[in-house]
Each structure stands twice: as structure tokens, then as C-alpha cells.
Amino acid sequence: MIRSFGDKRPRIHPTAFVSEAAYVVGDVEIGEGSSVWPGAVIRANRYKIRIGKHVNIQDNSVIHADEDATYGDYITIGHMALSHATVVEDHCLIGNGATINGYSTIRHHSLIAAGAVVLERVEIPPNSLVVGAPGEVRRTVMERHLELMERYNTDYQQYTKDFKEAGLQDPDQEKYADPNV
């Protein structure tokens, strides 16, 4: 379901996919080739949430923000993740069930492991592997992590095309289409 909230209206690139079972509301921008899967919620009733290109927000994940938030390009947000991040830079992976608390920044090529909890106002350096609750930087991501992150993103780019071709996107998605996002 895609909805405006007052004068705040989602803007979705025509190549993006928003599942008919997702909920996107308010001042949300979703970029080229990005995808929002069943049960996912992106709620921008107060602050703007900008999602870059080829970002996949997987089933039952939630994105909300405590100030304007920016998600870069080629990001994977795993199943049931919760993100209140202010910034997530390009080529990151937020694992299944991970929690990113408010005002946090995740720098490029970082991997937040499944179930990890990034505390409020934390900045994760580039190329970090974060594990645990509270989340701690364990080390620099390894080549195998980067390959895994790329593979997930590439897989979801194909799934996006497949699901759009199957007509499974939200029926109102065209109403919110904007090629300039």
C-alpha cells in the first residue's frame, strides 16, 4: 500500500518495485531498480526518507527516521531488520533481524550482522563488520563478505524485474511514479 500523508507524497522511480503487501507512506523517495518486499514498512510521516538505486528492503523490515534519512545505492536490508539510521552509505548490508537505532550512520561497504544492535548516535566506519548486541566493530569486512553483499544485491535486482513482470507490484505504484528520483 502506497499512501500520501497530508502534503507528503511518495515518489517512486518507475523501475522500482513495491510489493502490494508493503506499506510506504509520506515523504519517501525510492530510486531506480530498488525494491520493497511484502510486510516491509517505510514510514516518513515527519521526516524525509531517501532510498537510492538498487536498494532492497526485504520482507517485514521497518524503516523510520528521527530526522531526514538517506540510504545510498546497492544496499541490502535483510528480513525483519529495523532501521532508524540517519545515513546508510553505498554497498552496505544490514542483516536479518538487525536493529539500527536513531541518528546512527553506517559508512560504505559495512556489514551489520544478523541480529546485531547498533546503538543510538553511533557511527560505523567504512568497511566494518559489526556483530553483537550492542553492536561492535569486530574487524574489516573480508573479500568473501563483499562478494556475499554483491551477490545478494544482484539477486534482488533480478527478483525486482521478475516480480514487476509478474504484475505483483502495488496497484497504485504508477500513481506515484517519478523518473527523476
Side-chain angles (χ1 to χ4, degrees), residues 1-2 11-12 15-25 28-31 33-43 49 51-52 54-63 75 77 156 159-160 163-164 168-170 173:
M1 181 179 297
I2 304 169
R11 297 173 51 218
I12 302 168
T15 62
F17 167 77
V18 177
S19 166
E20 57 196 349
Y23 186 67
V24 175
V25 63
V28 177
E29 291 182 4
I30 299 174
S34 289
S35 55
V36 183
W37 295 90
V41 174
I42 305 173
R43 182 167 58 91
I49 298 174
I51 311 264
H54 303 293
V55 174
N56 63 88
I57 301 162
Q58 296 176 8
D59 308 59
N60 297 313
S61 290
V62 175
I63 296 179
I75 296 169
I77 298 177
Y156 271 85
Y159 302 157
T160 296
F163 274 67
K164 280 187 72 69
L168 297 175
Q169 69 271 8
D170 186 293
Q173 186 168 332

Side-chain angles (χ1 to χ4, degrees), residues 77-142:
I77 298 177
H79 299 80
M80 298 181 67
L82 169 63
S83 182
H84 272 251
T86 298
V87 174
V88 178
E89 293 183 344
D90 299 347
H91 300 281
C92 286
L93 185 149
I94 298 173
N96 294 343
T99 300
I100 313 297
N101 283 295
Y103 309 101
S104 297
T105 298
I106 312 299
R107 297 291 179 202
H108 66 86
H109 293 90
S110 287
L111 189 159
I112 310 302
V117 178
V118 175
L119 298 178
E120 190 171 90
R121 300 184 190 281
V122 168
E123 181 170 338
I124 302 300
N127 305 298
S128 294
L129 173 64
V130 176
V131 299
E136 295 180 2
V137 176
R138 279 289 163 88
R139 64 176 175 263
T140 301
V141 292
M142 300 168 71

